[in-house]
Amino acid sequence: MQLIKLSATDSTNAYLKDLMFNNILGDFTVVMAHSQLKGRGQMGTNWLSEPGKNLTFSVLVKPQDIQVVDQFVLNICVSLAIYETLSQLQVPDLKIKWPNDIMSGHSKICGILIENILSGQHIQASIVGIGLNVNQLTFNNLPNVSSLKLLLGRTFNLEELLLNIVENLKGLFGNSGEEEQKRLFEVYETKLFRKDKPSTFTNQDNEMFMGFIKGVSSGGKLKILMEDNILKEFNLKEVKLLY
């Protein structure tokens, strides 16, 4: 694993992408930043992180024969790698909030942003950006946010934690056969935040509705059992889980 450490950068994803287009990089090359100035989350949101306190890094992954239509399996592999790492640390009440936020109870501790480089119908490479709250203790009154130190009461070595995550990533990406993908989907669904619990959502028109999260489609859409007992599928832009 090649590890590139930066004191500061706007975005580790953007830095790694530029690096990849101008150099030949090995699988699982990592760019890690002490300070990330313009970190991004899903749907264009900002990821704010206190310098030197958290893990803000990106990993270059070169998936083996994953087609564009199956790209959600990448989200699953990354989410489960983080989940597995944090589970080994005994972080309490871990869940994955669709599509790939990692939660402890009702508090978010990790966000993931995956950007794919395509070649025809296949994924040539993926830039996996990960922001994990580790040793930060305050979050400017942001609701429902926590860190490993707040949860477990101790300070963590960032580089050691990073190496554990990458090792788990390698393990999950090591076997991408059809049967293994099916198994990973099933495991992912068992970890879903608020699965089978009555939950409140908003749609694109900001209208609230009730439903039960039942799982995820092969294309990565969230399956929600509506009040009229009809199972509907929603993509990321179509629905937001409130509580």
Side-chain angles (χ1 to χ4, degrees):
M1 183 192 88
Q2 183 180 7
L3 175 59
I4 300 163
K5 297 181 187 178
L6 306 174
S7 58
T9 186
D10 283 349
S11 159
T12 55
N13 264 32
Y15 187 95
L16 183 53
K17 193 186 296 182
D18 287 343
L19 201 62
M20 187 194 75
F21 285 128
N22 294 297
N23 300 271
I24 297 172
L25 299 179
D27 208 0
F28 296 101
T29 294
V30 176
V31 172
M32 176 186 184
H34 178 85
S35 175
Q36 186 170 233
L37 307 176
K38 296 179 181 178
R40 291 172 297 138
Q42 293 284 356
M43 305 288 288
T45 57
N46 292 327
W47 181 270
L48 302 174
S49 177
E50 193 177 328
K53 296 288 186 180
N54 305 313
L55 271 180
T56 49
F57 69 100
S58 296
V59 186
L60 173 64
V61 177
K62 298 178 179 179
Q64 296 299 310
D65 199 34
I66 293 182
Q67 296 194 5
V68 175
V69 292
D70 298 322
Q71 63 184 296
F72 193 73
V73 76
L74 300 173
N75 286 267
I76 288 176
C77 287
V78 178
S79 299
L80 290 178
I82 303 288
Y83 184 100
E84 194 171 309
T85 304
L86 300 184
S87 182
Q88 290 162 357
L89 297 175
Q90 298 185 315
V91 175
D93 197 15
L94 278 173
K95 294 291 179 186
I96 301 169
K97 184 179 178 183
W98 175 85
N100 50 26
D101 282 344
I102 309 299
M103 312 287 289
S104 174
H106 285 81
S107 297
K108 178 177 174 177
I109 54 176
C110 182
I112 298 163
L113 178 66
I114 300 174
E115 298 179 81
N116 295 319
I117 294 96
L118 310 181
S119 177
Q121 296 303 309
H122 287 78
I123 295 172
Q124 179 184 336
S126 296
I127 307 290
V128 178
I130 295 170
L132 174 62
N133 294 332
V134 183
N135 295 320
Q136 188 167 331
L137 294 177
T138 58
F139 293 92
N140 296 329
N141 299 317
L142 284 175
N144 303 324
V145 178
S146 193
S147 69
L148 299 187
K149 188 167 183 176
L150 284 170
L151 291 164
L152 299 175
R154 56 192 174 96
T155 301
F156 291 84
N157 181 299
L158 296 181
E159 209 163 311
E160 187 178 303
L161 197 53
L162 168 66
L163 291 173
N164 289 341
I165 291 171
V166 174
E167 282 305 308
N168 284 326
L169 277 172
K170 287 180 179 178
L172 282 159
F173 277 103
N175 183 356
S176 57
E178 193 174 320
E179 284 303 310
E180 178 64 6
Q181 286 187 21
K182 183 181 176 184
R183 186 189 73 81
L184 290 176
F185 259 88
E186 291 170 353
V187 173
Y188 173 89
E189 287 186 321
T190 67
K191 315 295 185 189
L192 278 176
F193 180 65
R194 295 203 63 80
K195 186 174 187 288
D196 296 323
K197 295 181 179 179
S199 302
T200 304
F201 306 85
T202 55
N203 62 19
Q204 283 176 301
D205 299 318
N206 219 27
E207 299 167 335
M208 293 174 64
F209 66 93
M210 300 287 293
F212 293 80
I213 292 173
K214 304 305 291 184
V216 177
S217 74
S218 59
K221 291 186 176 183
L222 188 66
K223 296 179 181 177
I224 300 176
L225 184 65
M226 310 293 282
E227 286 186 292
D228 53 11
N229 221 33
I230 293 175
L231 191 66
K232 288 190 176 181
E233 297 181 358
F234 297 86
N235 67 34
L236 190 57
K237 296 180 181 179
E238 293 175 333
V239 68
K240 180 180 179 181
L241 172 62
L242 297 180
Y243 49 84

